[in-house]
Amino acid sequence: MTVQAVIKPNTYFDSVSLMSLSTKANQIEGVEQAIIAMGTEMNKEVMKNVGLLTPEIEEAGTSDLIIVVKVASDELCENAFVGIDELLTKKKGPSKGKSEVKFSTISSAAENIPEANLAVIAVNGMYAAREARKALENDLNVMLFSDNVSVEDEIALKNLAHEKGLLMMGPDCGTAIIGNVALCFANAVRKGNIGIVGASGTGSQEVSVRIHEFGGGISQLIGTGGRDLKEEVGGIMMLDGIQALEDDEATKVIVLVSKPPAPSVEEKVLAKIKQCSKPVVVWFIGGDETKVTEAGGHFAKMSKEAAIKAVVLAGADESKLNKRALNIPLIEEVRTKLKPEQKYIRGLFSGGTLCDEAMHAAMEKFDNVYSNISRNPEYRLKDRNTSNEHTFIDFGDDEFTQGKPHPMIDPSTRIERFIQEAKDPSVGVIVMDFVLGFGAHEDPVGAMLPAMIEAKQNAEQEGRHLEIIGYVLGTELDRQNLDDQVNKLLAAGVTHASSSQNAGLLAREFVVKGE
């Protein structure tokens, strides 16, 4: 194998584009491994860890673009770099004539496009806070996709936005729908009168998709960034987001989505709910129903329940909704197929909140549930690469994505883990999500399909049944074909779950013994 690198000085691509380009570069014939990234110390560390660090890369600066490939021969290396150059050229795109104008700074863009009111920022974390501050100072709302922003900067930015009456979504905010425009990772959903404030990207996506399925629509989906409800930040964006929807004439019902907030922040949010004139549905995973109802909110234990409550509060006739109840005969059938020693669930997720929801469903019946994102240190995996009894993995967590594309873009890491888990004779069920929408993989089920088919065949040859549950998060309006994705699962003998909630409940019920 040979490792060669090319450094392109002072060449910038945003992190979202680089994740996508790296994924495509790894699909070039003959490429064993490829990384396209900016020359930050974190990216260099990742390259060092995977044996791709070269002397040229060590000398690269943070504004330099690094392209490094691992191939079997010099000829394949040349082919790889030609292919990557084509990807980079295609990404830049052809000139669209005089109508396309590029600005080198946020200030110049704001000055020349006075009607603009929002900036989406996806730059190296080192510069993210500076650019976000510039946008706010130019009276632009901000969606900050970048991570690696300090808590101190986050608090300062959110306080500045609050003072100016602007939204400061993020840092590390990956999902929003503003004015019926989906930003970063989001799904194509119907416009409507239900507003969402979410500290969880895939959790917000799931609720928006279920609302769409039940006939409702979204007025706004405001992301907060995953750290907003922690003690230090104090829920500044969640509180401002609730107020924004309270003031929005198009919003009739508000839904809040988050993992459990810090206790002091939860009190602030509940106090805010008391002041709202509009009904508020609260889905905080593992949340307290009594506290929510005492605050005048509508408690939802799971995602589908939150969507149903929202559409009913918005005017839908609950008796006419197809709630897609669990398939009890299927549960009985699968239980009879699994051997006594097939006791465990392995959840392999690209969405953190989808992982959390399935994990909490399992925790209601089992006390041996482990995860890389467990908030209980006792049940946090000691080694993220080794499962223990019931195990739920969030492949979108930082430990899996440092210097690598998110699994919603590049599923390769999850595929490797799936193959490993499918060989374990103690595993009864493997449950996975497949996320569609803007920014997501073009064919997430298709990418996993060969591994799923082979795993089922191997299990059958060994005389055991391997149950695989697949949930496709998306709508018929998404650019990927939802029906096509579901049909691929069904054709491979995979059980299709109609929602994240049902996926978690089915996985749990399939492996229950003795009921």
Side-chain angles (χ1 to χ4, degrees):
M1 286 291 173
T2 179
V3 175
Q4 292 194 28
V6 169
I7 311 298
K8 293 183 178 290
N10 298 315
T11 303
Y12 178 76
F13 282 82
D14 65 83
S15 56
V16 178
S17 297
L18 290 175
M19 286 190 289
S20 176
L21 287 167
S22 287
T23 299
K24 292 174 180 174
N26 277 284
Q27 295 169 354
I28 294 174
E29 186 176 0
V31 170
E32 179 74 19
Q33 190 167 13
I35 294 178
I36 306 175
M38 301 305 296
T40 64
E41 291 305 314
M42 186 188 76
N43 287 336
K44 291 179 186 176
E45 184 66 25
V46 171
M47 293 173 198
K48 181 181 179 181
N49 291 339
V50 296
L52 295 181
L53 188 67
T54 68
E56 304 99 299
I57 293 175
E58 289 182 347
E59 296 299 320
T62 56
S63 61
D64 298 336
L65 181 69
I66 298 172
I67 304 169
V68 57
V69 298
K70 181 179 181 181
V71 291
S73 68
D74 290 342
E75 183 180 357
L76 287 173
C77 187
E78 185 177 346
N79 290 339
F81 282 120
V82 169
I84 290 171
D85 269 343
E86 290 175 353
L87 291 174
L88 292 171
T89 303
K90 186 177 179 182
K91 186 65 188 174
K92 287 179 177 178
S95 171
K96 295 180 180 178
K98 294 180 180 178
S99 62
E100 182 183 85
V101 180
K102 293 183 179 178
F103 300 97
S104 57
T105 67
I106 286 176
S107 297
S108 63
E111 182 179 347
N112 286 279
I113 314 175
E115 67 273 23
N117 63 4
L118 187 145
V120 179
I121 299 174
V123 300
N124 186 299
M126 188 180 301
Y127 313 112
R130 183 190 68 190
E131 296 305 312
R133 188 171 296 107
K134 286 180 183 176
L136 293 171
E137 288 170 347
N138 281 280
D139 296 324
L140 296 171
N141 297 288
V142 172
M143 180 178 184
L144 185 54
F145 183 84
S146 311
D147 55 8
N148 293 310
V149 174
S150 71
V151 173
E152 291 77 14
D153 279 334
E154 178 174 353
I155 294 169
L157 290 168
K158 288 183 169 174
N159 281 332
L160 175 59
H162 177 79
E163 291 168 7
K164 293 174 74 72
L166 298 169
L167 300 177
M168 178 61 228
M169 298 182 285
D172 198 19
C173 178
T175 299
I177 301 175
I178 305 297
N180 207 34
V181 177
L183 303 172
C184 298
F185 296 119
N187 298 91
V189 294
R190 189 181 303 106
K191 187 176 182 181
N193 58 6
I194 300 171
I196 299 172
V197 187
S200 154
T202 50
S204 298
Q205 284 184 260
E206 171 64 9
V207 173
S208 71
V209 164
R210 293 280 71 77
I211 288 172
H212 176 92
E213 181 193 19
F214 293 128
I218 303 301
S219 57
Q220 315 284 349
L221 193 170
I222 299 172
T224 69
R227 218 165 41 188
D228 188 72
L229 296 181
K230 290 189 179 297
E231 186 82 34
E232 305 93 310
V233 182
I236 300 170
M237 186 63 247
M238 174 68 79
L239 297 172
D240 283 355
I242 295 170
Q243 187 60 51
L245 296 181
E246 170 78 356
D247 296 339
D248 179 25
E249 292 184 358
T251 298
K252 302 302 180 188
V253 177
I254 299 170
V255 182
L256 308 183
V257 178
S258 177
K259 296 173 183 175
S264 65
V265 180
E266 184 178 23
E267 286 183 17
K268 293 180 189 177
V269 174
L270 294 175
K272 188 71 177 177
I273 292 172
K274 283 184 178 178
Q275 300 170 1
C276 279
S277 64
K278 300 175 182 178
V280 181
V281 179
V282 181
W283 176 41
F284 290 164
I285 295 179
D288 187 317
E289 180 172 5
T290 301
K291 288 182 179 178
V292 172
T293 54
E294 284 180 352
H298 300 262
F299 175 79
K301 185 178 176 182
M302 302 190 80
S303 55
K304 184 171 67 172
E305 181 185 351
I308 291 172
K309 288 193 174 183
V311 296
V312 171
L313 287 165
D317 183 345
E318 186 171 3
S319 67
K320 294 182 179 178
L321 298 180
N322 179 359
K323 297 181 181 178
R324 297 181 181 270
L326 288 184
N327 186 338
I328 302 302
L330 175 65
I331 291 171
E332 296 299 330
E333 178 186 335
V334 172
R335 285 180 180 177
T336 62
K337 290 180 178 178
L338 297 178
K339 294 184 174 182
E341 62 270 26
Q342 289 184 279
K343 297 183 291 186
Y344 299 125
I345 307 166
R346 297 290 153 80
L348 309 177
F349 290 88
S350 59
T353 304
L354 308 186
C355 179
D356 224 357
E357 181 167 42
M359 180 171 67
H360 271 77
M363 288 165 60
E364 290 182 341
K365 287 207 172 180
F366 309 116
D367 58 7
N368 50 349
V369 179
Y370 296 83
S371 173
N372 64 323
I373 58 170
S374 174
R375 280 170 284 281
N376 185 338
E378 186 180 348
Y379 294 101
R380 182 173 281 262
L381 287 173
K382 300 293 186 292
D383 177 0
R384 69 183 186 189
N385 297 311
T386 304
S387 294
N388 184 26
E389 300 182 313
H390 298 293
T391 293
F392 292 80
I393 302 290
D394 171 16
F395 284 91
D397 194 53
D398 289 347
E399 62 183 352
F400 283 103
T401 58
Q402 287 188 2
K404 295 180 179 178
H406 192 280
M408 282 161 55
I409 299 172
D410 178 2
S412 57
T413 302
R414 187 168 71 153
I415 293 173
E416 292 175 11
R417 185 60 171 266
F418 169 81
I419 294 170
Q420 174 185 326
E421 301 295 349
K423 294 177 181 175
D424 185 342
S426 71
V427 170
V429 177
I430 298 177
V431 55
M432 293 182 287
D433 59 343
F434 299 93
V435 181
L436 311 184
F438 300 101
H441 193 280
E442 294 174 359
D443 182 12
V445 174
M448 181 65 79
L449 206 56
M452 290 192 291
I453 293 172
E454 184 175 352
K456 275 189 159 290
Q457 290 173 342
N458 289 341
E460 188 174 350
Q461 289 172 2
E462 294 169 7
R464 61 187 169 93
H465 172 75
L466 176 64
E467 184 67 25
I468 303 173
I469 300 172
Y471 165 56
V472 183
L473 192 168
T475 76
E476 76 284 359
L477 303 178
D478 282 320
R479 63 188 178 87
Q480 303 93 340
N481 188 310
L482 175 61
D483 287 341
D484 181 54
Q485 295 289 299
V486 172
N487 289 334
K488 284 180 180 177
L489 289 174
L490 296 175
V494 174
T495 295
H496 169 242
S498 59
S499 65
S500 168
Q501 177 173 319
N502 282 15
L505 294 175
L506 282 174
R508 180 187 77 186
E509 295 304 316
F510 283 166
V511 296
V512 166
K513 307 292 184 186
E515 286 189 4

